[in-house]
Amino acid sequence: MRLTTKGRYAVTAMLDLALHSEQGPVSLADISNRQGISLSYLEQLFAKLRRQQLVSSVRGPGGGYRLAGELKTISVAQVVDAVSESLDATRCEGKGDCQHGEVCLTHHLWEDLSAQIHRFLSDISLADLVQRRDIQSVRDRQDNQQRITAEQIACSQI
Amino acid sequence: MRLTTKGRYAVTAMLDLALHSEQGPVSLADISNRQGISLSYLEQLFAKLRRQQLVSSVRGPGGGYRLAGELKTISVAQVVDAVSESLDATRCEGKGDCQHGEVCLTHHLWEDLSAQIHRFLSDISLADLVQRRDIQSVRDRQDNQQRITAEQIACSQI
DNA sequence: AAATAGTTGAGTAAAATACTCGGTTATAGG
DNA sequence: CCTATAACCGAGTATTTTACTCAACTATTT
C-alpha cells in the first residue's frame, strides 16, 4: 500500500461525493469546484474507482456519480488501493525479489508496516468520516463558499 | 511523514551499517555492494543522515560511517524523517492551508494517519531490527554472497 | 436538436526519484 | 612527502510519478 497525494485526492473526492449524494448523482464538475481538483484528473481517478466498483455512473444531463455501496461498506483503504495500483516494480513492494531475486534486508519490516497502515485505513469507513465533527465543519464552509461563488457568478452575468 | 522508497533505502543502509559496525567504520562502497544501492545516491542520503546527527564520519583510508548513538536510541522514524524533508508543499502536509488557505476535507484524517505511522516507526529501534530473525538470515546470506564475490574477484586477478 | 456529463486516449509540465560524473578535501600508511 | 582511500560537494540527467490539458466521442435528458 502506497500513500501519496493521489490516494488523498481520491479519498477527498469520495468523501465529497458521500456528503452531497442525497439529492441524486454528483457531477465531477461540482467536486472539482468544491475540492479544487482539476476535472480531468478527477475523470482519471473516477475511471479507476468505477473499475473497482466503488462508484457507479449516470450519464447525460443531471447525471454524475453515485456511491456503489453503503457508506459504511466503503473503507478508506479500498479507495486508496483503487487508485494506487501498487503492483509496481518498486523494490520490496510485491514479491520478495527486492535484491537479486531475494528479499532485501528490510523487506519484512515494510510488510509489517504496510499491514499496519492497511488495517488502520480499513477500519475507517466513509460513514465514519461523514460523522466526524472536523469534516462537517469543513463541509459547511465549502458549501457556503460555493453558494456565495454561485451568487457572484449569477450577479456578474446580469 | 511521507513513506517512499527513499526512506526505505535509508533504513536499509542504516541497518547494514548497524550490522557491520563492530570492526570500525563502514564505507559507503561496502554498503553499496551489499545492498545494491548506488554509491552516489548513498552519499546524498548519508549527507542528510549526518546533518541530523544520526551518523558520524571518518575520512581517509579505513574510514567510513559510524552510528552516532546507541542502536536502541535510533528509531526507524528518525531515519525516514532525516531523508524525507517533508516540509514540502504537498497539500495537507504542513499547516492547514490545503485549500484556499483553509484545511481541506480530509486534512485531519491524514494527520491522524501520519501520527499513527510515526508512532509505529518510532517504537522500532535499530536494535530491534538487528535482533529480528528474518533480518539475521538475510544478513547471513548477504555476507556469504559478498565473501564469494570477493573470492571470485581475487581469483580472477591471479 | 441541443445541452449535459460521463468515457476514452493522447500528450505534457512539474516534481520526485535514483542515479552519474567530476571534482575537492582529509587522512592513514608507506 | 606521496599516494591511495573514502568522505564531501555540486551540477547534471534519465526515469517515473503526479497532476493536469486537450480533443474527441457517447449516452441521456429536455
Side-chain angles (χ1 to χ4, degrees), chain A residues 2 4-6 9 37-38 40-41 44 59-61:
Chain A
R2 293 177 55 218
T4 66
T5 52
K6 196 172 192 174
Y9 275 115
I37 309 171
S38 97
S40 310
Y41 198 41
Q44 284 174 41
R59 301 178 82 154

Side-chain angles (χ1 to χ4, degrees), chain A residues 33-104:
Chain A
N33 286 332
R34 275 192 298 261
Q35 304 306 330
I37 309 171
S38 97
L39 180 59
S40 310
Y41 198 41
L42 282 174
E43 282 169 355
Q44 284 174 41
L45 296 180
F46 273 79
K48 291 181 181 175
L49 293 170
R50 199 171 59 97
R51 257 174 254 138
Q52 297 298 315
Q53 300 185 319
L54 294 175
V55 296
S56 63
S57 61
V58 181
R59 301 178 82 154
Y65 285 92
R66 248 195 279 266
L67 294 176
E70 291 287 307
L71 273 181
K72 56 182 176 182
T73 66
I74 302 178
S75 71
V76 174
Q78 283 179 291
V79 176
V80 173
D81 280 338
V83 298
S84 290
E85 54 193 334
S86 60
L87 21 92
D88 58 348
T90 330
R91 261 174 273 200
C92 283
E93 199 86 35
K95 279 294 167 65
D97 56 345
C98 336
Q99 196 189 6
H100 318 125
E102 310 250 17
V103 299
C104 78

